[in-house]
Amino acid sequence: MAVRVQAAPFDFGTECGAFAAGRTDAGAVVTFAGIVRDDGGLARLELEHYPGMTERALERIAAEATQRWALKDCLVIHRHGPMRPGETIMMVATAAPHRADAFAAAEFLMDYLKSRAPFWKKEFGTDGAAWVAAKDEDEAALDRWTGD
Amino acid sequence: MIDVLYFAWVRERIGLPKERVETSAATVAELVEDLKAREERYAVAFADLSALRVALDQELAEFDAPLAGVREVAFFPPMTGG
């Protein structure tokens, strides 16, 4: 299990390759990348975070995923600082003996890190700058993991 | 003394990322009232607590949580990672 919080860009393909390489214990690897999306007029995105709490929150979420599903490994990389449209913001990767666990754990990681890891996005566009508002559906997405 | 941190638009409205606060507040809610009474910029930032989240020593908490033994309080809007 590894969590990395960094300003520097990373190469999604290289990370996926390294994560999957040499495994004999996991028949399934699932990966997800979050990309800076431009819905029109976005010049850049800035991600603020809470150093210290960010790492703790991500490590806790990753540990919970590892406990809930039969994961052999998981990886979370999340960037902060300025980014342009098309850049990779973050990724998760999960490795499990079978795909159902790998998919479910990856979705769980994404749902939790969207609204429980202390990151805040600010968009800078042609008509000024604005903080991205949290979506109700992101909060609602957590309910399916807490229903038991 | 307690370290109080602000992030995102809370930081922008208050105008600083971090300060040390001398307070006798027993709960987060009491600390918020102390801060609001200081200056208009605090009153504006804390006008709607439903739009804010709080962390105590880097753990998410509620506004009625006690401050006893807490070293670091952080206020911020709902998180937008991913």
Side-chain angles (χ1 to χ4, degrees):
Chain A
M1 184 184 110
V3 164
R4 279 159 45 195
V5 178
Q6 61 187 56
F10 64 90
D11 185 79
F12 179 58
T14 303
E15 296 295 342
C16 291
F19 183 80
R23 293 196 181 280
T24 53
D25 56 352
V29 167
V30 165
T31 60
F32 172 89
I35 312 287
V36 181
R37 186 185 70 246
D38 179 11
D39 290 330
L42 181 72
R44 73 177 198 278
L45 188 71
E46 285 199 15
L47 259 113
E48 183 169 333
H49 80 122
Y50 183 172
M53 179 171 169
T54 308
E55 291 82 356
R56 284 169 66 154
L58 292 177
E59 278 163 16
R60 176 170 318 153
I61 294 164
E64 192 175 340
T66 306
Q67 201 170 31
R68 285 180 72 146
W69 290 278
L71 295 190
K72 295 298 183 185
D73 199 3
C74 74
L75 169 68
V76 177
I77 304 176
H78 207 304
R79 291 178 61 200
H80 57 86
M83 278 161 248
R84 294 186 178 282
E87 284 190 54
T88 306
I89 306 173
M90 53 78 60
M91 68 166 285
V92 302
T94 57
H98 304 286
R99 72 178 185 280
D101 283 339
F103 274 118
E107 283 211 89
F108 172 90
L109 287 168
M110 284 311 305
D111 284 349
Y112 270 81
L113 70 82
K114 263 194 117 60
S115 45
R116 289 293 180 274
F119 288 99
W120 301 275
K121 291 192 185 99
K122 190 174 189 178
E123 292 178 337
F124 294 77
T126 42
D127 30 322
W131 291 98
V132 173
K135 297 191 189 79
D136 290 341
E137 67 221 49
D138 288 339
E139 194 63 32
L142 300 185
D143 291 347
R144 63 176 161 156
W145 306 112
T146 54
D148 51 4
Chain B
M1 294 291 270
I2 200 162
D3 286 323
V4 183
L5 282 67
Y6 310 107
F7 292 96
W9 59 254
V10 184
R11 171 180 54 73
E12 291 179 342
R13 278 180 206 179
I14 291 173
L16 75 177
K18 182 177 182 175
E19 60 185 324
R20 300 209 81 192
V21 174
E22 181 81 62
T23 181
S24 57
T27 64
V28 176
E30 286 182 28
L31 173 64
V32 168
E33 289 310 309
D34 281 2
L35 292 169
K36 283 169 78 173
R38 284 178 153 194
E39 277 180 59
E40 180 67 17
R41 58 197 167 105
Y42 291 94
V44 170
F46 289 109
D48 177 12
L49 290 190
S50 73
L52 291 178
R53 300 290 179 268
V54 61
L56 302 180
D57 289 331
Q58 306 188 352
E59 302 279 348
L60 283 173
E62 302 293 331
F63 280 87
D64 59 1
L67 285 181
V70 170
R71 288 179 302 185
E72 184 174 295
V73 180
F75 295 103
F76 43 78
M79 296 160 270
T80 53

